[in-house]
Amino acid sequence: MYLGGSFTSLNGETTWRVGAVEAGTAARRPVAASANATVRDLAVSPDGATLYIGGDFTQVNSSARQRVAAVDLVTQSLTDFAPKVSNYGVRAVAVSSDGQSVAIGGSFTKVNGSSRPGEGMAVLETDGTLRRNQISSVVSNSGDRSGIMSLEADAQGLYAVSYSREGEFEGMLRADWDTGEITLMADCHGDSYDVYPAGDVVYVAGHTHDCSNIGGFADLDNDYRHAVAYAASPSGTVQRNRVPGYVSYEGNPATTLLDGFLPQFQIGSYTGTNQATWTVEGNDDYVVYGGEFLSVNGTAQQGLVRFAVHGDAGAGGVDGDDAAADDGDDGNDEDDGKDGRDNDQGDDEDEDEGDDDDEDDEAGRGRGGRR
């Protein structure tokens, strides 16, 4: 298991922001990388031979690496992969299923001197050169008030979710690795923080409050959906945005919101970020959300919850009308039917324009581009 962050010690040994441990025992394993600033995301190539890292650093192993780098896990050495990412850090990294390309996302404005493509998101060859495609022609969230939060990959393409506090894209999209063409879009309002593609369904963590542009629920006005699911196949096109202050993505291939999966979260208050879910992962049987919440569907459940996935996922085959939460104690689903309305007020807070280390903390505190 590979770890990235701001730490300088792992299991009592000096470790500069990149580490590895055994999944079963947590015993420290060697990995030949030391970064001079925060590592925000990591991805391993499908063949297990290369570890890609992204973050705020400018050096790895005392060699210049501008916010993204790669380590050969066979020879335990830094590779020549050295794209130049301008200004803001890299928040997300993903590798294509064939291992031939690497995607990065964040709030940066240029990669290798290019903004089209290269603004907010870029696809790179494994030698570090920029793939010329349309990846930034439709969605280009960047700067100190907007950015790509998470990237994932499967055989169908590259998935991205984003946040914005100035009316840019806040939903989920899937793009073709080669052309950058958008093949699927959930143009929903409300910042999105993480994405997990699971075959026929794409799960998202965030605070969605308006999916009317793709035929889903209209603005909920302070009643946020912190976990949503979309069909992984396009159905029609995104409709014209009619909410003031938001960019319109009309005409792109639209997905369908799966209204059988709309669990209700009661958000926690300890950090003051007014968010319930930050991450989502899963396997063939369960999808798991993590974050700062106290209950799910009215049942006490703190910080971590799993939902069972059943039947034909493409038809919305998730547990129950509002998705039954499983506390993991005995594998049984529990749902007392309470609506568990959340209390997210979505208050904006000032964002630090000069310190990339604070970007994740600040990214999702407001409702985005609402005016």
Side-chain angles (χ1 to χ4, degrees):
M1 179 184 299
Y2 295 97
L3 311 173
S6 299
F7 54 87
T8 56
S9 176
L10 179 61
N11 287 351
E13 296 185 42
T14 299
T15 307
W16 295 100
R17 304 177 182 89
V18 186
V21 296
E22 294 282 356
T25 66
R28 189 177 184 275
R29 301 293 296 169
V31 58
S34 296
N36 71 339
T38 301
V39 172
R40 297 190 177 274
D41 200 15
L42 312 92
V44 179
S45 60
D47 63 4
T50 307
L51 174 68
Y52 294 93
I53 63 174
D56 304 328
F57 52 83
T58 56
Q59 287 186 340
V60 176
N61 297 352
S62 299
S63 296
R65 291 293 185 274
Q66 207 163 323
R67 302 179 177 88
V68 65
V71 177
D72 187 318
L73 296 175
V74 178
T75 63
Q76 286 294 314
S77 60
L78 193 65
T79 76
D80 292 332
F81 180 82
K84 291 180 170 56
V85 180
S86 65
N87 46 48
Y88 299 91
V90 172
R91 187 181 285 113
V93 182
V95 185
S96 61
S97 57
D98 63 6
Q100 298 302 304
S101 41
V102 181
I104 58 173
S107 295
F108 49 83
T109 57
K110 291 183 179 181
V111 176
N112 291 347
S114 170
S115 61
R116 289 289 188 278
E119 186 174 6
M121 185 165 40
V123 175
L124 303 160
E125 309 295 345
T126 54
D127 64 0
T129 58
L130 183 66
R131 181 170 293 180
R132 295 290 170 178
N133 57 27
Q134 304 177 55
I135 200 71
S136 302
S137 63
V138 178
V139 172
S140 55
N141 291 32
S142 63
D144 62 348
R145 297 176 63 83
S146 186
I148 301 298
M149 289 294 288
S150 180
L151 297 172
E152 292 291 340
D154 68 7
Q156 299 185 77
L158 171 64
Y159 298 80
V161 291
S162 59
Y163 87 96
S164 178
R165 297 174 69 183
E166 52 191 11
E168 299 290 336
F169 190 67
E170 296 179 342
M172 182 276 298
L173 64 82
R174 185 178 69 208
D176 182 274
W177 278 94
D178 292 325
T179 66
E181 179 182 359
I182 305 298
T183 61
L184 192 72
M185 177 178 280
D187 180 25
C188 293
H189 298 163
D191 297 337
S192 300
Y193 307 132
D194 200 9
V195 58
Y196 173 67
D200 294 337
V201 176
V202 184
Y203 296 94
V204 170
H207 64 240
T208 305
H209 58 83
D210 186 348
C211 283
S212 57
N213 290 342
I214 59 168
F217 53 78
D219 198 324
L220 297 175
D221 192 19
N222 289 332
D223 186 7
Y224 298 87
R225 300 298 189 178
H226 299 281
V228 292
Y230 304 104
S233 300
S235 177
T237 59
V238 174
Q239 301 304 299
R240 178 178 299 177
N241 172 68
R242 301 187 184 280
V243 180
Y246 280 97
V247 173
S248 181
Y249 297 93
E250 180 183 10
N252 282 284
T255 180
T256 301
L257 178 76
L258 301 179
D259 57 12
F261 184 79
L262 290 171
Q264 295 272 3
F265 291 79
Q266 179 189 359
I267 65 173
S269 59
Y270 183 78
T271 66
T273 55
N274 288 323
Q275 307 301 318
T277 63
W278 289 107
T279 63
V280 56
E281 296 291 343
N283 58 24
D284 291 341
D285 299 316
Y286 294 97
V287 59
V288 180
Y289 282 82
E292 185 182 13
F293 50 85
L294 303 176
S295 70
V296 182
N297 293 336
T299 299
Q301 186 73 29
Q302 292 193 17
L304 192 66
V305 64
R306 66 180 183 177
F307 301 97
V309 178
H310 298 307
D312 181 6
V318 292
D319 238 5
D321 291 341
D322 286 320
D326 184 349
D327 63 9
D329 289 342
D330 55 10
N332 294 324
D333 293 328
E334 299 177 359
D335 184 1
D336 66 2
K338 297 177 183 178
D339 60 11
R341 291 171 64 86
D342 67 49
N343 59 0
D344 186 356
Q345 299 302 308
D347 295 333
D348 283 342
E349 298 193 13
D350 292 337
E351 184 158 3
D352 189 337
E353 295 183 7
D355 188 352
D356 285 338
D357 282 347
D358 292 335
E359 281 185 5
D360 280 344
D361 293 336
E362 302 288 343
R365 296 189 180 184
R367 288 186 65 174
R370 294 304 303 271
R371 297 291 187 268

